[in-house]
Amino acid sequence: RKIDERYMNQISEREGQKVRVIRSADVPVNGMRASGSSASGSPKPIIIVTKNDEIISGYTPLSNLRTRDTYYLEVTEPRSIYQSGQATISTFLISLLGAGVFIIIFTLLFVDRIILSRLNTIIGTVRRRKETREGEHVTGEANADELASLAREIDPVFEKLAESRVELQQSEERYRFLAESAQDFIYVINDRDEITYINKFAAASVGRSPDELIGKMRSSLFPPKESERQYANIRKVLETGTPLKIES
């Protein structure tokens, strides 16, 4: 039978695929090679080439042709399996993204509803408690809330802590006043032997101001031998926890 363009179009319409005959020189050389069977049962080489993400083509040589040239039959069809896989992956990723967004929104709502709202209740109750007289009770929905009740219970603790902080600040101010008024060499060091406080009398004794000496090493205040002797006594106090009084 004569193979012409009309005949190839009829085959394409019947098979639902694009079919055409091409010369061997037009066959891609970078395709994947496989083998099939002819009508007589003999093996027949097949070349499979992926054109793009949409289509794939197969090539097989035509035999029993009355021509000296070699021709190939090209069959082109959509990559339906690949496209189905891509659609499945896209659907999975969209579902995963939607689930992630839902979890994030749910978590934020849970935190706001269960945790932050309760904390705001505690804060509001404590603030209202401070504005009421001793012995009065705050009324309203907050009283029915367990955390609000807890807030009223711990409110005296907050007040005690505030009082303790004020007392500590006053004690520090009294100590600082006494230290600054004393005509003695008074200084405080940290665990790295650095000066964290020194009174004016001690700073003036070495010809410096207190601000110039803060952060400096204690050894900078004394001669080497005196500094070593003091350091040994300091280590003894730290190891035993017992105050040490040395008169010179």
Side-chain angles (χ1 to χ4, degrees), residues 17-45:
Q17 301 168 344
K18 184 179 180 181
V19 180
R20 65 174 184 158
V21 176
I22 62 174
R23 294 179 179 273
S24 60
D26 297 330
V27 177
V29 296
N30 59 344
M32 181 180 68
R33 298 186 179 274
S35 62
S37 298
S38 62
S40 60
S42 58
K44 205 168 189 179

Side-chain angles (χ1 to χ4, degrees), residues 5-248:
E5 184 176 355
R6 180 181 177 183
Y7 178 67
M8 300 308 299
N9 289 337
Q10 291 176 353
I11 295 177
S12 297
E13 291 177 1
R14 185 173 66 247
E15 300 296 332
Q17 301 168 344
K18 184 179 180 181
V19 180
R20 65 174 184 158
V21 176
I22 62 174
R23 294 179 179 273
S24 60
D26 297 330
V27 177
V29 296
N30 59 344
M32 181 180 68
R33 298 186 179 274
S35 62
S37 298
S38 62
S40 60
S42 58
K44 205 168 189 179
I46 298 175
I47 301 175
I48 301 174
V49 179
T50 301
K51 294 295 185 67
N52 50 46
D53 292 342
E54 303 293 332
I55 60 174
I56 187 171
S57 297
Y59 302 87
T60 185
L62 296 175
S63 57
N64 300 325
L65 297 178
R66 294 179 181 179
T67 177
R68 295 181 179 180
D69 295 332
T70 303
Y71 288 86
Y72 277 75
L73 181 68
E74 179 191 59
V75 180
T76 302
E77 64 178 10
R79 299 182 64 186
S80 56
I81 298 177
Y82 173 80
Q83 293 172 357
S84 176
Q86 291 295 104
T88 301
I89 293 175
S90 300
T91 303
F92 173 75
L93 292 178
I94 292 174
S95 302
L96 188 63
L97 179 61
V101 172
F102 173 78
I103 292 174
I104 291 174
I105 294 175
F106 176 79
T107 303
L108 292 177
L109 291 176
F110 176 80
V111 171
D112 179 71
R113 180 69 178 174
I114 304 300
I115 300 177
L116 295 182
S117 61
R118 296 296 182 91
L119 291 177
N120 289 332
T121 300
I122 292 178
I123 294 173
T125 303
V126 171
R127 288 176 177 174
R128 291 193 298 272
R129 180 66 173 168
K130 291 181 179 179
E131 296 173 357
T132 58
R133 295 193 303 270
E134 185 67 26
E136 291 185 349
H137 298 281
V138 179
T139 60
E141 295 182 357
N143 283 332
D145 193 280
E146 294 181 358
L147 288 179
S149 300
L150 176 62
R152 291 193 298 274
E153 292 294 332
I154 64 176
D155 182 54
V157 178
F158 291 157
E159 293 179 355
K160 291 294 183 181
L161 289 175
E163 293 174 0
S164 298
R165 184 170 57 185
V166 172
E167 292 176 358
L168 177 61
Q169 183 178 0
Q170 294 175 348
S171 176
E172 290 177 349
E173 291 176 354
R174 288 194 297 269
Y175 171 79
R176 184 177 294 274
F177 175 77
L178 293 175
E180 292 297 333
S181 302
Q183 299 297 306
D184 294 310
F185 210 104
I186 301 174
Y187 62 90
V188 179
I189 59 174
N190 57 21
D191 56 354
R192 295 186 299 273
D193 205 23
E194 297 172 344
I195 301 171
T196 59
Y197 168 79
I198 186 169
N199 67 346
K200 294 180 180 179
F201 178 83
S205 299
V206 296
R208 309 282 288 277
S209 67
D211 292 338
E212 293 176 316
L213 295 173
I214 299 299
K216 302 294 183 181
M217 299 300 294
R218 176 196 54 80
S219 57
S220 63
L221 299 177
F222 308 99
K225 290 185 178 181
E226 177 63 18
S227 177
E228 293 177 3
R229 184 184 67 82
Q230 288 186 5
Y231 183 73
N233 293 330
I234 292 172
R235 293 299 303 174
K236 184 182 299 184
V237 172
L238 294 176
E239 292 172 358
T240 62
T242 304
L244 182 62
K245 181 178 180 181
I246 300 176
E247 298 182 358
S248 57

